[in-house]
Amino acid sequence: MSLAEKLLKTALERVKNNSQITGDLFPNYSDTTEYNLNENNNWVAGFWTGMLWLAYAQTGDTGLRDCAINLLPSFEKRLDENIHINHDMGFLFMLSARAQSALANDPDAAALTMRSADVLLNRFRQKGQYIQAWGPVGEDRRGGQMIMDTMMNLPLLFWASKHTGNPGYAEIALKHAKTMAKYNIRPDGSTYHTFFFDQETGDPLRGETHQGAADESMWARGQAWGVCGYAMAAQLASESPDSAFFVETARKLAQKFMAELPADDVPPWDFWLPDGWPNHRDSSAGSIALVGMLRLAQIDPDNVAEYNGYAQRLFNGLAEHCWDSRPDAQGLLLHGASHVPKKLWMDSYLIYGDFFMLEALLMLTGNQVDLWVTG
Ligand code: GLY
């Protein structure tokens, strides 16, 4: 059995064990071997249902499927009651409602996914041509802000076009991805986490960080969202002339990510840390980038060896330095950094780091379950 196969087996066992104690709640973060459990009221809820669907697809264990199905009403409630609703519709609904529509053949879940796609679509700002990340549409400051993480929510818009036959959703995704490539990516392939526009004129203003150490630093998870997000955009737009540009963009971000990676192959939370900041690792940036590299290998056949080499390094770094091998561990990856400037979960389990690790393990062992791009 390869190392990836061994880790996959353990990961599936942990998802199963966790599913027996989580009930109506969602594992989010932890600094111990036990995940804390929260209500469905933040941006990370979909990663737990996503792990359940990945594990169900791999094992056929209907207990996992039923655990995910039991949680879907809480996602509907998010929309009904406007609970923390913003650009994160893809993270929340692709990994819950859309997965349920595909893997449990549930048309009501598809209808709910469409509701979430309309929410995302309506956050598109004509002036500036970007999807507003946070806050009510048109809000004073945040109305002018887009963030790299949104690249990961675009698969929802591509799905909506496919589902309805209306190209308008995918067109907005393409516009946002092109605007973001123009402004959030610096000439050297590093990225700004966020970028601001003048909402009146649509004129570009400036790059700023939100979760990184400084406006001109390189927040590792933002860079990883970019690698994976542009790789998925290239896959989803494979029939459009934009696909080659998205491959080129993802490749540039991937090469920069790898060029900055330290010798242990685990990303620091920010690659360009100014003096005085704590030097935590961020394993979630590693697992997200790992999935991005594996997707790039699928969409850019001329450079497969290069991406596979990157993936191998990232996998080895995570397996050697971050995998939680304690027998009572509920999580997969130690050393995730959620929000260092706010001092939140800085050396912890992060459910999204674990989701992407499980996705990567399935891909590495030839068992890919794609909740984002296919179907
Ligand atoms: N999307 C928020 C984060 O990556 O922390």
Side-chain angles (χ1 to χ4, degrees):
M1 212 191 250
S2 70
L3 179 58
E5 284 166 340
K6 278 188 209 146
L7 297 189
L8 175 60
K9 184 169 173 290
T10 304
L12 292 169
E13 284 163 8
R14 290 185 189 169
V15 174
K16 178 66 184 172
N17 292 341
N18 294 348
S19 74
Q20 288 166 335
I21 51 177
T22 44
D24 292 340
L25 297 174
F26 294 77
N28 283 184
Y29 307 99
S30 181
D31 290 340
T32 70
T33 52
E34 243 176 77
Y35 257 117
N36 71 346
L37 300 178
N38 284 328
E39 308 245 321
N40 188 344
N41 59 12
N42 58 33
W43 75 277
V44 307
F47 296 109
W48 172 230
T49 46
M51 290 183 83
L52 289 165
W53 285 114
L54 290 180
Y56 164 64
Q58 175 64 12
T59 62
D61 179 336
T62 54
L64 297 166
R65 178 198 63 191
D66 295 345
C67 185
I69 289 175
N70 174 54
L71 293 168
L72 194 63
S74 70
F75 287 88
E76 189 163 17
K77 186 169 172 229
R78 294 282 299 264
L79 294 183
D80 290 346
E81 299 180 15
N82 195 23
I83 301 168
H84 200 80
I85 293 301
N86 57 30
H87 76 119
D88 283 323
M89 295 295 99
F91 284 135
L92 290 168
F93 287 87
M94 286 300 282
L95 304 182
S96 60
R98 190 264 155 188
Q100 184 162 322
S101 82
L103 295 172
N105 201 14
D106 179 346
D108 292 340
L112 181 61
T113 316
M114 273 312 302
R115 279 183 66 194
S116 71
D118 284 323
V119 171
L120 188 56
L121 187 78
N122 290 328
R123 299 184 69 81
F124 184 69
R125 308 300 305 276
Q126 285 297 340
K127 286 194 178 151
Q129 301 276 291
Y130 62 95
I131 292 173
Q132 180 187 325
W134 295 315
V137 175
E139 195 194 53
D140 236 11
R141 176 181 148 81
R142 293 182 298 176
Q145 191 179 26
M146 64 175 177
I147 74 172
M148 186 51 83
D149 322 28
T150 303
M151 286 305 303
M152 296 297 294
N153 291 314
L154 301 184
L156 175 61
L157 296 177
F158 285 102
W159 173 86
S161 272
K162 213 165 164 188
H163 184 69
T164 58
N166 172 356
Y169 295 91
E171 280 164 16
I172 294 298
L174 293 175
K175 282 181 183 171
H176 176 85
K178 284 190 258 187
T179 306
M180 187 140 257
K182 194 163 170 192
Y183 297 115
N184 279 60
I185 302 175
R186 305 182 184 113
D188 66 356
S190 67
T191 49
Y192 288 113
H193 181 197
T194 92
F195 194 92
F196 281 89
F197 293 88
D198 180 322
Q199 293 188 71
E200 296 299 316
T201 61
D203 289 342
L205 295 177
R206 66 190 174 281
E208 271 189 19
T209 195
H210 176 73
Q211 275 157 276
D215 291 342
E216 295 302 328
S217 73
M218 185 176 162
W219 179 50
R221 194 162 59 253
Q223 188 82 14
W225 289 141
V227 174
C228 195
Y230 277 101
M232 292 202 297
Q235 292 182 303
L236 284 156
S238 62
E239 280 158 33
S240 124
D242 295 319
S243 185
F245 172 65
F246 295 150
V247 168
E248 195 187 302
T249 304
R251 179 172 168 75
K252 189 171 171 179
L253 301 193
Q255 288 175 329
K256 187 63 180 167
F257 193 99
M258 297 310 292
E260 298 290 336
L261 204 59
D264 64 4
D265 289 329
V266 179
W269 70 279
D270 191 312
F271 284 110
W272 298 341
L273 214 50
D275 286 346
W277 284 87
N279 60 352
H280 299 294
R281 290 161 157 166
D282 182 12
S283 53
S284 75
S287 61
I288 295 159
L290 170 55
V291 170
M293 300 307 173
L294 296 171
R295 287 189 179 277
L296 269 169
Q298 294 173 335
I299 190 77
D300 186 12
D302 291 347
N303 296 298
V304 169
E306 180 183 342
Y307 302 127
N308 284 344
Y310 294 161
Q312 196 59 54
R313 282 179 58 192
L314 289 165
F315 173 70
N316 290 346
L318 292 169
E320 190 177 334
H321 302 291
C322 303
W323 184 263
D324 191 352
S325 46
R326 293 173 290 183
D328 58 341
Q330 290 184 351
L332 308 183
L333 295 180
L334 299 163
H335 312 313
S338 165
H339 200 314
V340 178
K342 284 192 181 161
K343 297 188 167 40
L344 293 174
W345 305 108
M346 294 186 286
D347 187 9
S348 312
Y349 287 159
L350 308 177
I351 193 68
Y352 38 97
D354 281 5
F355 170 86
F356 285 96
M357 190 63 185
L358 179 56
E359 185 173 359
L361 290 171
L362 289 165
M363 292 173 89
L364 288 165
T365 55
N367 295 295
Q368 183 176 16
V369 179
D370 197 342
L371 300 182
W372 306 91
V373 171
T374 52

